[in-house]
Amino acid sequence: MINNNLGAKIAAAAEMILASRRLVVFTGAGISTESGIPDFRGPGGIWTKFDPDDFTIQKFLKSEETRKKQWKILIGGDLFSNVNPNRGHLAIAELEEMGRLDCVITQNIDNLHQKAGISTDRVFELHGNMQWVRCLSCGERYPVEHIREKLKNGVEVPECEICQGILKPDVVFFGEALPPEVLDAATAYSRHCDLFLVVGSSLVVHPAALMPAYAKEAGARLIIVNIGETPYDSRADILIEGKAGDVMSKMVQKVREGQ
Ligand code: APR
């Protein structure tokens, strides 16, 4: 592990990207805080204000009261409307433009990697995406804005307009299985890469947090860019404590200079 100053670490990480042939970038909520979206476990994060146990799929299905509370938090609070990619997202999109990115595996549901310009077939959203709301009975899908308007007009628990079934944001709740085709693809890319770059994740939620382990098992090098510790810090080839937007824009600038 390279244990020297920030600039040297960023330069070393850029060298690893230049030498890599199969780069996977893995992101968490920490890459989106600079876009105004709170993370979960950092200072002031969502789970410091709400109880994650309230966000299980079991509770969501069991009571209308729970659904009312969750709709209010998830969509009523405008959590994901009018948010834009920041320098961290744009730096990763530039790696794709340079032909240096195999894929992005993200735990985020904010659609910001796609908004930053990354091809949708190169973004694997392990926990779904807040852009859509789905009926659990008939499968009908609604754009989240359509449901947000209903909430703003006083509907507390929106129902399916086709069959009056329970609607749920197209994201993975605790206790719910991850979309199998996405998990399989993310696992395959992680097992096949030669460089695995983590940006803004505490790496504590499974099975998402198994991805860096798969990469290390495959002999890949591991770079972690994060504010705060992760369980993988001792296995990182380069550990960079810093803000994602600042670090990633400097790193990609070094890659551009080294081309
Ligand atoms: N730059 C770098 N790191 C940051 C920044 C930033 N600007 N802002 C926050 N961080 C760090 C935090 O300190 C924290 O260590 O990013 C990490 C985010 O960790 P979490 O909040 O746990 O988010 P994440 O790892 O994505 O959580 C995984 O948990 O609750 C579930 O489904 C939810 O997808 C989420 C999953």
Side-chain angles (χ1 to χ4, degrees), residues 27-31 33-34 39-43 47 107-108 127 172 174 200-205 225-229 242-245:
T27 63
I31 197 170
T33 53
E34 293 167 63
D39 65 10
F40 295 94
R41 296 173 188 81
W47 299 144
Q107 302 168 96
N108 300 340
H127 297 159
V172 177
F174 285 118
S201 178
S202 59
L203 295 174
V204 295
V205 172
V225 177
N226 198 52
I227 295 173
E229 293 180 353
K243 289 188 74 168

Side-chain angles (χ1 to χ4, degrees), residues 30-34 86-91 199 225 242-252:
I31 197 170
S32 295
T33 53
E34 293 167 63
N86 63 60
R87 292 185 303 158
H89 299 101
L90 296 172
V199 186
V225 177
K243 289 188 74 168
D246 183 43
V247 169
M248 289 311 299
S249 45
K250 286 192 172 79
M251 194 183 296
V252 171

Side-chain angles (χ1 to χ4, degrees), residues 59-131:
K59 284 204 175 166
F60 185 83
L61 297 175
K62 194 169 69 177
S63 85
E64 191 167 285
E65 196 47 41
T66 307
R67 288 197 288 278
K68 191 187 298 181
K69 189 162 58 170
Q70 293 195 5
W71 280 114
K72 198 160 181 295
I73 295 166
L74 277 171
I75 296 194
D78 272 347
L79 198 54
F80 294 100
S81 60
N82 309 321
V83 285
N84 293 304
N86 63 60
R87 292 185 303 158
H89 299 101
L90 296 172
I92 296 167
E94 194 177 342
L95 288 173
E96 183 188 18
E97 285 163 27
M98 295 180 195
R100 295 190 175 277
L101 180 74
D102 248 18
C103 73
V104 172
I105 300 169
T106 189
Q107 302 168 96
N108 300 340
I109 58 177
D110 54 34
N111 206 50
L112 289 182
H113 287 301
Q114 295 91 326
K115 270 189 171 177
I118 295 192
S119 319
T120 49
D121 62 354
R122 280 186 200 269
V123 181
F124 295 101
E125 296 172 306
L126 293 174
H127 297 159
N129 187 312
M130 271 303 275
Q131 302 309 301

